[in-house]
Amino acid sequence: MSKIKPSKGAPYARILGVGGYRPTRVVPNEVILETIDSSDEWIRSRSGIETRHWANDEETVAAMSVEASGKAIADAGITAEQIGAVVVSTVSHFKQTPAVATEIADKLGTNKAAAFDISAGCAGFGYGLTLAKGMVVEGSAEYVLVIGVERLSDLTDLEDRATAFLFGDGAGAVVVGPSKEPAIGPTVWGSEGDKSETIKQTVPWTDYRDGEVAKFPAITQEGQAVFRWAVFEMAKVAKEALDAAGLTSAELDVFIPHQANERIIDSMVKTLKLPESVTVARDVRTTGNTSAASIPLAMERLLATGEAKSGDTALVIGFGAGLVYAATVVTLP
């Protein structure tokens, strides 16, 4: 018989607050067209993207995260000292160690919160949310800060016609805390490493360091393969998440998919047969693809504009490089 005492966590967990930060510089498609042979009409028709935000030198991964997190903490009605863990999902923090989460935790004024980074691409927010839920229910932290943040402009090849127009920068954050009723459903997540070549970094950092390539590494992808996978396979995952939460599409209020491409979003809505009453996040139009930041940024905007409201039931799904994915149903803060 084990002598270990049982954990004293909350019965359930929920998102208590959300915050976002978008860099001040807005970049229209016309700027992208200076380096690729395309057109504004082609970019809009293929992706839905009209503008994106690019960070300046001061808008670092840490700085953007602190801004978004401060808003989320205030929205949750708690103080930074109450945060017990900080989970940061990013692929664009260029220091291998220490984790940027430790810097963020310190700058926010947490009381020595546990802090670590995860690398799960565009599914990173879902991964972080799942970890946070587990910590709150298990009892290792009463409040967990989950951040999705990217400076993908640093990893964009502006001469790559397939990707130059896609990526933007920004940070989104949520506070996860105790709940008396279920408010974050079971997560349906996984990976398909046999497809890892479809979205990847062009070359390892060591190739650039050793002079084997002259061009700084960037993100590249096989657009058609990614599109087919996202449309057909991720709609199935989204349906599984609804089933796991015991809901039908008719009971859903909001759909917040990863903001990769508006055509993918439209196809998923059609495949899932979502009613017209369901609010669909389309933040991609003015924010672009911000990878791990896209879902919390889209959530924050829907609540700020009144398109979604506190207490709404939302299906969120992220998917991307790996290939990895994560989907769950949440109650909006």
Side-chain angles (χ1 to χ4, degrees):
M1 181 176 175
S2 174
K3 298 179 181 179
I4 300 173
K5 294 181 180 180
S7 301
K8 295 182 179 180
Y12 305 103
R14 69 184 304 117
I15 298 175
L16 299 173
V18 60
Y21 180 83
R22 293 171 174 80
T24 55
R25 182 187 177 192
V26 178
V27 180
N29 288 338
E30 286 73 16
V31 171
I32 307 299
L33 297 175
E34 294 173 3
T35 52
I36 61 171
D37 180 17
S38 188
S39 68
D40 178 62
E41 190 278 331
W42 186 90
I43 293 174
R44 291 180 188 235
S45 65
R46 292 302 181 96
S47 68
I49 298 173
E50 303 166 8
T51 61
R52 73 284 291 146
H53 295 254
W54 283 355
N56 60 33
D57 291 344
E58 288 73 39
E59 291 167 322
T60 64
V61 166
M64 293 190 293
S65 297
V66 169
E67 289 292 329
S69 299
K71 295 175 184 177
I73 291 168
D75 191 42
I78 64 170
T79 65
E81 290 86 352
Q82 293 174 273
I83 297 292
V86 177
V87 183
V88 178
S89 177
T90 185
V91 299
S92 48
H93 174 59
F94 292 151
K95 288 183 179 179
Q96 193 70 35
T97 191
V100 71
T102 59
E103 178 184 350
I104 295 165
D106 178 64
K107 288 185 174 179
L108 286 170
T110 66
N111 185 22
K112 299 181 180 180
F116 59 95
D117 299 350
I118 59 174
S119 177
C122 306
F125 176 75
Y127 276 44
L129 186 64
T130 303
L131 294 173
K133 173 187 173 183
M135 283 185 260
V136 171
V137 173
E138 186 270 338
S140 58
E142 185 176 11
Y143 299 100
V144 180
L145 180 65
V146 180
I147 304 166
V149 57
E150 302 291 1
R151 271 183 57 122
L152 294 182
S153 57
D154 292 333
L155 285 169
T156 299
D157 180 355
L158 293 178
E159 296 178 349
D160 182 356
R161 190 172 184 270
T163 60
F165 59 92
L166 286 175
F167 302 123
D169 303 337
V174 299
V175 172
V176 177
S179 174
K180 295 180 180 180
E181 59 184 13
I184 300 175
T187 299
V188 177
W189 57 352
S191 66
E192 298 185 33
D194 60 315
K195 300 179 180 67
S196 61
E197 291 295 302
T198 56
I199 306 175
K200 64 180 183 179
Q201 184 171 303
T202 48
V203 295
W205 300 114
T206 48
D207 285 5
Y208 182 74
R209 179 198 64 187
D210 297 340
E212 295 181 27
V213 294
K215 205 168 190 177
F216 192 74
I219 297 173
T220 187
Q221 70 174 27
E222 299 173 16
Q224 287 302 315
V226 172
F227 182 87
R228 288 193 297 271
W229 176 77
V231 168
F232 296 109
E233 298 303 320
M234 292 305 97
K236 297 176 185 176
V237 171
K239 180 64 167 58
E240 288 178 31
L242 279 173
D243 291 343
L247 297 173
T248 66
S249 58
E251 296 174 282
L252 206 59
D253 299 308
V254 184
F255 180 43
I256 311 178
H258 165 48
Q259 301 294 291
N261 180 308
E262 193 165 34
R263 289 173 63 208
I264 292 175
I265 295 171
D266 288 340
S267 295
M268 291 183 73
V269 168
K270 183 177 180 180
T271 302
L272 288 169
K273 298 180 180 179
L274 296 183
E276 290 186 6
S277 59
V278 175
T279 297
V280 180
R282 299 184 185 278
D283 196 43
V284 66
R285 293 174 179 171
T286 56
T287 307
N289 180 343
T290 57
S291 189
S294 78
I295 290 175
L297 277 174
M299 182 184 295
E300 185 258 356
R301 174 160 283 173
L302 288 175
L303 289 167
T305 59
E307 295 173 80
K309 62 183 185 299
S310 175
D312 278 353
T313 301
L315 169 63
V316 300
I317 179 170
F319 44 85
L323 295 172
V324 294
Y325 54 88
T328 189
V329 176
V330 304
T331 301
L332 294 182

